[in-house]
Amino acid sequence: MTTAQEHGGDVRLTGISKTYGSFTAVHPLDLTVPQGSFFALLGASGCGKTTTLRMIAGLEEPSSGTVRLGEQDVTALPPYKRPVNTVFQSYALFPHLDIFENVAFGLRRRGIKSVKKQVGEMLDLVQLGEQARKKPHQLSGGQQQRVAVARALINHPKVLLLDEPLGALDLKLRRQMQLELKRIQTEVGITFVHVTHDQEEAMTMADTVAVMNGGRVEQQGAPADLYENPGTTFVANFLGTSNFIEAEVAEVSGEDVFLKAGGGKLTLPKARCTASVSAGGTVLVGVRPEKISLTHADDAGAIPDGRNRITGRIADSSFIGVSTQYVVDSPVCDAFEVYAQNIERDTRLAPGAEVVLHWNPAHTFGLDADQDVEAGVEKVEEDA
Ligand SMILES: Nc1ncnc2c1ncn2[C@@H]1O[C@H](COP(=O)(O)OP(=O)(O)OP(=O)(O)O)[C@@H](O)[C@H]1O
Ligand SMILES: [Mg+2]
């Protein structure tokens, strides 16, 4: 039997939305974050992540819907009455107080006198025991960020909300802090809802990722599941790189969908196709760059039967150490991306070479063809 206590850190949003005048920042959405999980809200700037987080915190009043924490409906409660704490991008530590007093702040405010043991434990948790008497400006960005986490956790919230808390850190420190935050979450076991626009960050840290787009959750799931089985072109492009081929359905038979594209044939497992398919229709076939092998056209005979294959010509190749990234022009997709691990490099695979791209049909996914292939692709700003 489960008790209310065990569900105390569940977050349940039901039909929650936010409009500003005629603009809808968050469309009615339902989300459940289980107690003790690490949940990431991922999406591009302006998609409604902060607004959603602020509605959980009580800092923003929803236009519709309810917020439940555990068994309790907190929709009408002010922020300070919710068992929730927030860590923002700007940690806003008190500059005149030392680290110890910054962390002790929440306890002192509640009139608790003997704070030493609790503050000591918190500082140990974030590995800053040695820094207790320093002022914030004497710490690095990552250390300040950990103080902010300790300061929030000392209030024993049931849920910790984090809004781009690593945004101010450089890339290397960010990576380090991602692992650190994950360790802290595992250790304290409370629910974390983490907002980020960085897909790698979301995938590294979270048990569940919800991908937001234009005020809606487009898809949610475990990182590997989202990556391998994107339901839309937006999710496929936002979480890494995808290649798309528009293909015609030749036949649906048994477990497979057989397709025609540019004179060639492709196979797609029916279980990996989210579009409704019937002979004569079209489907968008997706495949991730690291799933594809490149073989020089002269050796095409050695490619095992049963693999999906496309012919093309290498347009560009970039050696980046662990892998080489190729761009291949083919009749079915210009700028096909292929990532090859640098194990035994075939020096013939250079720009201009005729090649065959081939992959296991099991790594193919199928999407509704009625979508923008470019949705969610990171736009590179161009100078006018
Ligand atoms: N007080 C407000 N009044 C009017 N529009 C607002 C207000 N707050 C937010 N918005 C709009 O709502 C949308 C969602 O904003 P939100 O801050 O939730 O985005 P976000 O996903 O957190 O973006 P970012 O990654 O840039 O922080 C934006 O288009 C924003 O301009
Ligand atoms: Mg934001």
Side-chain angles (χ1 to χ4, degrees):
M1 211 175 98
T2 53
T3 64
Q5 181 62 34
E6 285 167 3
H7 292 292
D10 286 351
V11 180
R12 277 198 202 85
L13 308 182
T14 313
I16 199 146
S17 73
K18 183 70 190 178
T19 54
Y20 296 105
S22 61
F23 176 74
T24 304
V26 177
H27 294 271
L29 76 85
D30 299 318
L31 266 188
T32 300
V33 182
Q35 150 79 44
S37 66
F38 200 127
F39 191 90
L41 277 177
L42 171 69
S45 182
C47 72
K49 306 180 296 293
T50 295
T51 306
T52 304
L53 207 69
R54 287 172 61 85
M55 290 194 283
I56 301 173
L59 299 165
E60 202 76 70
E61 194 186 333
S63 307
S64 70
T66 57
V67 179
R68 254 188 218 93
L69 297 173
E71 302 303 313
Q72 193 186 11
D73 185 335
V74 299
T75 317
L77 288 186
Y80 64 91
K81 288 199 175 157
R82 302 188 184 197
V84 167
N85 267 95
T86 311
V87 177
F88 297 98
Q89 177 172 357
S90 55
Y91 337 119
L93 301 177
F94 303 113
H96 55 291
L97 297 180
D98 66 19
I99 301 316
F100 185 97
E101 286 303 325
N102 260 284
V103 175
F105 184 79
L107 298 178
R108 298 226 193 267
R109 198 176 49 179
R110 282 187 277 143
I112 297 168
K113 292 266 163 30
S114 51
V115 301
K116 200 162 174 229
K117 182 162 174 287
Q118 281 195 64
V119 174
E121 282 170 5
M122 270 305 146
L123 287 175
D124 286 344
L125 175 72
V126 298
Q127 298 179 337
L128 288 175
E130 309 289 301
Q131 318 281 348
R133 292 302 166 195
K134 282 190 177 171
K135 294 278 174 61
H137 75 270
Q138 294 171 305
L139 299 186
S140 72
Q143 290 169 331
Q144 291 184 38
Q145 201 276 336
R146 282 182 274 157
V147 176
V149 171
R151 190 177 59 171
L153 286 177
I154 203 157
N155 300 316
H156 295 291
K158 292 193 171 124
V159 180
L160 189 68
L161 306 176
L162 304 116
D163 193 354
E164 306 257 8
L166 310 180
L169 307 180
D170 65 43
L171 188 66
K172 200 166 168 210
L173 196 52
R174 261 181 101 100
R175 297 280 173 254
Q176 221 173 311
M177 283 304 303
Q178 288 164 7
L179 302 176
E180 185 69 358
L181 271 182
K182 180 73 194 154
R183 175 191 66 78
I184 292 169
Q185 192 267 340
T186 310
E187 210 163 312
V188 295
I190 66 169
T191 313
F192 275 36
V193 181
H194 181 101
V195 159
T196 180
H197 62 265
D198 179 335
Q199 50 107 0
E200 262 185 52
E201 179 165 309
M203 292 209 280
T204 311
M205 300 172 82
D207 304 308
T208 306
V209 177
V211 182
M212 286 189 79
N213 180 19
R216 292 188 169 85
V217 170
E218 191 141 324
Q219 193 177 355
Q220 61 169 312
D225 194 38
L226 277 185
Y227 183 82
E228 301 296 352
N229 299 299
T232 61
T233 53
F234 180 87
V235 174
N237 290 324
F238 202 78
L239 292 182
T241 301
S242 293
N243 297 297
F244 289 110
I245 301 165
E246 206 174 299
E248 189 191 325
V249 179
E251 190 192 355
V252 184
S253 164
E255 301 298 305
D256 291 310
V257 183
F258 297 98
L259 305 153
K260 289 187 281 191
K265 291 179 192 159
L266 298 170
T267 306
L268 163 69
K270 210 157 69 182
R272 301 206 60 206
C273 184
T274 52
S276 56
V277 281
S278 55
T282 46
V283 67
L284 264 187
V285 172
V287 59
R288 296 285 192 186
E290 73 280 8
K291 304 287 199 281
I292 304 170
S293 302
L294 269 190
T295 297
H296 194 276
D298 292 349
D299 299 342
I303 300 170
D305 287 344
R307 289 175 67 82
N308 278 340
R309 52 170 89 197
I310 297 283
T311 55
R313 176 186 288 126
I314 297 179
D316 192 23
S317 82
S318 330
F319 176 79
I320 57 160
V322 291
S323 65
T324 301
Q325 305 194 346
Y326 298 93
V327 178
V328 180
D329 286 339
S330 86
V332 293
C333 166
D334 43 272
F336 224 98
E337 300 221 31
V338 179
Y339 303 162
Q341 263 199 295
N342 287 327
I343 303 169
E344 277 138 16
R345 298 182 66 213
D346 181 345
T347 50
R348 294 173 299 165
L349 297 180
E354 299 288 340
V355 290
V356 179
L357 303 88
H358 53 103
W359 67 91
N360 183 342
H363 292 143
T364 318
F365 56 89
L367 302 179
D368 197 312
D370 197 17
Q371 292 183 74
D372 177 7
V373 181
E374 297 282 310
V377 173
E378 246 177 284
K379 301 274 184 302
V380 181
E381 305 265 330
E382 281 176 37
D383 291 332

